[in-house]
Structures are given as structure tokens and as C-alpha cells.
């Protein structure tokens, strides 16, 4: 127990340490997306900055899908969460697929809300393959599905 306590106190403020950027932690699918998107041209700072505008395109597609399939209030809420995120405070243009996971998550949830199940499945799968934690968004529907199965099984 003493060793554990010493390791915690050697970090200083552990909350600040957890908020630090610990480097690139991309999944294999994310690495493939980056490699594919950067293989068509010479990699320079200017070309990567232009390629970073794909973030904005993905964000606007996601917000439009929420607006079109869910409603304007939900679209405004998503925009506020996205653009006022306290960790970033702004969209990172020079970071190539930084918001692809969030955009595909929004498209998937909006498509699921509207009943477009194939598109929802594809978008949610893509989102979960880019970053693993969007799978947690499916915890609620999976619990409801399991409860419905259990209820049907008991009958």
C-alpha cells in the first residue's frame, strides 16, 4: 500500500496529469484513414492544413443530418457541445480526422432516430472503429434490448 501511495504522490496533481496529451492513440482503422487520405499528394504543412478542412465538412454533414432527421434544438445542442468543448475550445483544422468519429456518431444516432438502420449501423461502426469509446453510446439501447429479450423469454 505504501508503494501505491508513493507512486500517486510522485505524480503531483494526478488530475492535471490525466488531462495531458499522451500522444497519438489511434486505432488501426484511424491509421488507415490517415494513411489513405495523405497518400494522394506530397505531405507538406500547407497540404495537411487544406486536408484538415475535411473536419469541417464532416462536422457540417453531421450537424445537417441532426437538423434534418432529429430537429433544430438538438442540432443547436450538438453544435454548442462541439464548438464549446472546454478541452479544445475550437476546431483543430490541421488535425486530419480529429472529428470524424464524432461526426459519424452524430450521423449514426440521427439516422437511428429516423429509422435508417443500415446507415445508422454503418456510421456507428465507423465511429466505433475510429475511437473505441463511441461503443459506450450503445449501452442504453443494448440494455433496453436485453430487457425486452428477457421479458419475452419469461412469457
Amino acid at each position: 500500500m505504501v508503494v501505491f501511495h508513493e507512486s500517486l504522490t510522485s505524480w503531483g496533481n494526478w488530475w492535471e496529469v490525466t488531462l495531458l496529451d499522451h500522444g497519438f492513440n489511434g486505432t488501426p482503422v484511424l491509421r488507415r484513414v490517415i494513411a489513405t487520405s495523405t497518400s494522394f499528394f506530397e505531405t507538406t504543412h500547407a497540404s495537411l492544413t487544406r486536408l484538415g478542412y475535411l473536419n469541417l465538412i464532416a462536422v457540417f454533414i453531421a450537424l445537417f443530418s441532426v437538423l434534418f432527421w432529429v430537429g433544430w434544438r438538438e442540432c443547436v445542442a450538438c453544435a454548442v457541445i462541439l464548438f464549446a468543448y472546454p478541452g479544445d475550445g475550437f476546431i483543430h483544422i490541421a488535425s486530419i480526422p480529429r472529428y470524424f468519429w464524432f461526426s459519424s456518431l452524430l450521423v449514426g444516432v440521427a439516422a437511428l432516430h429516423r429509422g435508417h438502420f443500415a446507415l445508422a449501423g454503418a456510421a456507428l461502426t465507423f465511429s466505433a472503429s475510429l475511437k473505441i469509446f463511441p461503443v459506450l453510446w450503445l449501452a442504453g439501447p443494448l440494455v433496453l434490448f436485453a430487457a425486452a429479450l428477457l421479458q419475452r423469454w419469461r412469457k
Side-chain angles (χ1 to χ4, degrees):
M1 188 64 172
V2 174
V3 173
F4 180 71
H5 179 67
E6 287 175 3
S7 69
L8 283 180
T9 56
S10 68
W11 280 3
N13 185 346
W14 64 272
W15 181 247
E16 290 178 6
V17 172
T18 59
L19 293 178
L20 292 176
D21 186 7
H22 298 288
F24 180 72
N25 57 357
T27 63
V29 173
L30 180 62
R31 292 173 192 215
R32 176 54 40 206
V33 168
I34 293 171
T36 302
S37 59
T38 57
S39 66
F40 298 113
F41 51 85
E42 181 183 354
T43 307
T44 63
H45 179 67
S47 63
L48 289 178
T49 302
R50 284 192 302 274
L51 189 61
Y53 284 107
L54 289 176
N55 281 326
L56 291 177
I57 293 169
V59 166
F60 286 121
I61 289 172
L63 291 176
F64 180 75
S65 68
V66 171
L67 175 68
F68 184 69
W69 286 331
V70 182
W72 70 270
R73 289 183 180 97
E74 292 81 1
C75 180
V76 169
C78 290
V80 166
I81 289 169
L82 181 63
F83 293 119
Y85 175 63
D88 291 332
F90 58 93
I91 293 283
H92 291 273
I93 295 298
S95 178
I96 298 167
R98 186 175 185 100
Y99 294 99
F100 283 9
W101 72 269
F102 187 73
S103 298
S104 57
L105 178 68
L106 285 180
V107 169
V109 170
L112 188 63
H113 176 77
R114 193 61 163 197
H116 302 293
F117 301 116
L119 177 61
L124 292 172
T125 301
F126 183 66
S127 178
S129 65
L130 291 177
K131 300 272 189 181
I132 195 64
F133 57 86
V135 173
L136 297 176
W137 285 69
L138 297 176
L142 287 176
V143 167
L144 293 175
F145 177 71
L149 268 172
L150 185 63
Q151 190 177 40
R152 185 174 182 179
W153 180 71
R154 286 185 176 177
K155 288 183 180 181

